[in-house]
Amino acid sequence: MFRKVSLALAATLIVASAAWADPIEGNWKTQAGSTAAIAGSDTFSITLKSGKYSGKTIGSFKAAGDNKYTGTITDPETDKTYSGKATLSGASLKMSGCVLGGLICKSQTWHKL
């Protein structure tokens, strides 16, 4: 009896933890065609998993509410870091890197895998 209850509790916790995961977490296809993994809980780290810069961490974001995130994003080719923002809309993530307080931004859209 105890074993059945333990298994049921474990299964419930696994399902519940998946439901509590932030929607930004997971694997994303970048505009350049690489795969980026976003993981974390309070701070989300972005690491390239494929492509020329595989293994490189390129960003750090925090939730800002309403499916928006703020933080920093690094261009893996130049190693320059910019003020970053991201907006999640369904299975699309619009990523932007900005300079001059957000006056000049370069954006791209990633898609959830």
Side-chain angles (χ1 to χ4, degrees):
M1 174 73 174
F2 179 74
R3 184 176 178 172
K4 287 182 182 179
V5 172
S6 295
L7 288 174
L9 180 60
T12 302
L13 290 174
I14 290 169
V15 170
S17 66
W20 290 330
D22 197 282
I24 198 173
E25 291 182 289
N27 292 317
W28 296 85
K29 180 67 78 175
T30 70
Q31 198 163 305
S34 300
T35 299
I38 300 178
S41 55
D42 184 40
T43 301
F44 300 96
S45 178
I46 306 168
T47 304
L48 292 174
K49 294 295 181 183
S50 70
K52 184 176 181 181
Y53 302 100
S54 180
K56 189 170 200 168
T57 299
I58 61 164
S60 177
F61 283 83
K62 287 190 174 206
D66 294 327
N67 289 326
K68 295 182 189 230
Y69 301 82
T70 59
T72 59
I73 191 81
T74 301
D75 181 342
E77 191 170 325
T78 64
D79 276 334
K80 290 185 180 179
T81 300
Y82 302 94
S83 172
K85 56 186 176 180
T87 304
L88 182 64
S89 178
S92 296
L93 183 64
K94 183 178 179 184
M95 302 288 291
S96 299
C98 304
V99 294
L100 299 173
L103 292 176
I104 301 171
C105 297
K106 185 175 180 183
S107 299
Q108 56 179 260
T109 301
W110 295 2
H111 299 282
K112 189 113 184 198
L113 295 175

